[in-house]
Amino acid sequence: MLTRLHVCRRWFLAASLALIAAPTLAEPLPKVKFTLDWRFEGPSAPFLLAKAKGYFQAEGVDVEIDSGSGSAGAVTRVATGAYEMGFADFNALVEYDAKTPGSKIQAVYMVYNATPAAVLTLKKTGISKPADLVGKTLAAPVFDAGRKAWPAFAKSNKLDPASVKWQTVEPALRETLLARGDVDAITGFYFTSVLNLEARGVKPEDIVALKYPDHGVELYGNAIIASPKLLAENPKAVSAVLRGFNRALKDTLANPAAAIAYVKERDPLINVPLETRRLKLALDHSVLTAEVRANGLGAVTAERMQRSLAETAEAYGLSRVPAAAELFNPAFLPARAERMVK
């Protein structure tokens, strides 16, 4: 006959075994705060798609995505620790690192294989090639990527960088000034300024776009960047974010019109046809380059990267040309087979 002590011991043992066998509550996924470079527009589609369709979660990370107010701001947000990762112009990162030695922020996935920067003008100005810009007035904000990289464009086309005059304007005014004929040309992201000009009544056939990559400039464009703290303390989270994003980018390339639905979820007021065009322009001109088709999404080539860094350093007046390994880290990229596109 069992004593009360034996019964208690058996009950305790059974309860302990039951607790061991029972499924434990899932631990919360590690969180990553991610900042975009700009508002929720067409080019933000793959980021928002990855979030909405659970691609990040499937890779084991919870990503919070916020809109931004410019590439320089996105770099600063990551530098200050307000965000662990972001989407920013790679050249803005190069400039920040030069002015803040030892920042150790790195780009980990090159989204825009070619800079979207362009000089835009109208046919009625008579400007059709870089040489026609000599003596003309161009408008752009001081922080505009195309304006900052103008010396690289000028050098590639054998122009004196000082051969044009600059008018400093707010971003929202630059296309208006060109449409009204108040300036001869502007610099800006191709896929943004073209659509902004059309929205101001300019016919597409009247727009002349001198895209930097088509005129000898080798600069890379926007990349996913990560803070040194996240890179050191949770490298698996960085890899997880890139796998989820890469999957979403391939979905977006396959069906841009469907991807825009995820932008509209975050900003119901967007003009869907307009943002679909903006996304397609970004994909066609900045993402799907010959280099990407050969080497896969997200990667860079070492030789071009070093030439690009030299271009940036000279154009931005930096004191030295950084080494590629300092600012671009390919270690977290998905496997090459996963990054190849048809």
Side-chain angles (χ1 to χ4, degrees):
M1 187 173 180
L2 296 174
T3 65
R4 178 175 294 180
L5 180 59
H6 284 116
V7 171
C8 289
R9 283 177 175 173
R10 287 191 175 185
W11 180 88
F12 180 78
L13 178 61
S16 299
L17 291 173
L19 285 172
I20 294 172
T24 58
L25 293 175
E27 293 184 4
L29 297 176
K31 290 188 177 182
V32 172
K33 289 192 67 179
F34 192 105
T35 176
L36 295 175
D37 62 329
W38 198 238
R39 298 184 292 263
F40 295 128
E41 294 183 338
S44 60
F47 299 97
L48 302 179
L49 185 156
K51 172 71 173 179
K53 294 188 75 170
Y55 290 177
F56 292 134
Q57 188 172 11
E59 296 295 343
V61 64
D62 180 13
V63 181
E64 176 186 330
I65 301 173
D66 291 332
S67 60
S69 57
S71 280
V75 174
T76 301
R77 283 178 168 187
V78 174
T80 59
Y83 289 80
E84 287 85 16
M85 298 184 75
F87 183 53
D89 180 14
F90 179 70
N91 306 294
L93 172 60
V94 176
E95 182 179 33
Y96 182 88
D97 185 76
K99 294 180 177 179
T100 316
S103 70
K104 296 185 178 179
I105 301 170
Q106 290 186 316
V108 290
Y109 189 113
M110 191 63 69
V111 183
Y112 292 167
N113 185 263
T115 176
V119 174
L120 296 106
T121 185
L122 304 180
K123 281 186 178 179
K124 65 183 181 182
T125 66
I127 299 170
S128 62
K129 57 186 184 297
D132 297 332
L133 293 166
V134 174
K136 304 298 184 182
T137 298
L138 280 64
V142 290
F143 54 81
D144 175 71
R147 179 171 177 173
K148 292 176 79 69
W150 163 256
F153 181 89
K155 181 179 180 180
S156 294
N157 293 280
K158 298 180 173 58
L159 303 178
D160 179 354
S163 63
V164 302
K165 298 177 182 178
W166 286 98
Q167 184 171 327
T168 300
V169 299
E170 292 298 318
L173 292 178
R174 99 181 95 186
E175 289 84 12
T176 300
L177 292 175
L178 179 59
R180 290 194 322 211
D182 294 341
V183 295
D184 301 305
I186 60 173
T187 56
F189 274 11
Y190 170 70
F191 54 74
T192 295
S193 289
V194 164
L195 297 182
N196 288 348
L197 285 168
E198 290 182 25
R200 286 155 178 77
V202 180
K203 295 178 180 178
E205 60 268 25
D206 291 334
I207 300 172
V208 177
L210 305 177
K211 302 169 198 165
Y212 280 31
D214 293 346
H215 291 83
V217 178
E218 293 197 273
L219 298 181
Y220 283 96
N222 283 36
I224 295 176
I225 64 175
S227 71
K229 187 174 188 293
L230 185 67
L231 291 169
E233 296 180 2
N234 199 346
K236 289 184 177 179
V238 178
S239 297
V241 170
L242 298 190
R243 287 194 302 270
F245 172 79
N246 186 76
R247 181 181 174 189
L249 181 55
K250 294 181 78 171
D251 281 3
T252 303
L253 288 165
N255 194 343
I260 287 295
Y262 299 98
V263 183
K264 189 171 178 61
E265 281 185 7
R266 292 297 297 266
D267 184 358
L269 299 179
I270 67 164
N271 180 322
V272 171
L274 180 72
E275 294 309 325
T276 302
R277 282 192 61 207
R278 194 190 311 276
L279 173 59
K280 289 180 178 178
L281 287 172
L283 296 175
D284 292 344
H285 294 277
S286 295
V287 176
L288 279 179
T289 66
E291 185 177 304
V292 164
R293 293 186 183 280
N295 302 319
L297 297 162
V300 302
T301 62
E303 298 81 6
R304 180 189 159 196
M305 171 58 76
Q306 204 57 53
R307 292 195 302 271
S308 170
L309 287 168
E311 270 190 331
T312 304
E314 183 175 359
Y316 286 39
L318 306 182
S319 59
R320 71 179 184 91
V321 179
E326 293 178 46
L327 294 172
F328 187 84
N329 188 343
F332 305 95
L333 288 172
R336 186 174 185 271
E338 296 175 26
R339 295 184 287 103
M340 296 305 294
V341 291
K342 296 180 180 179

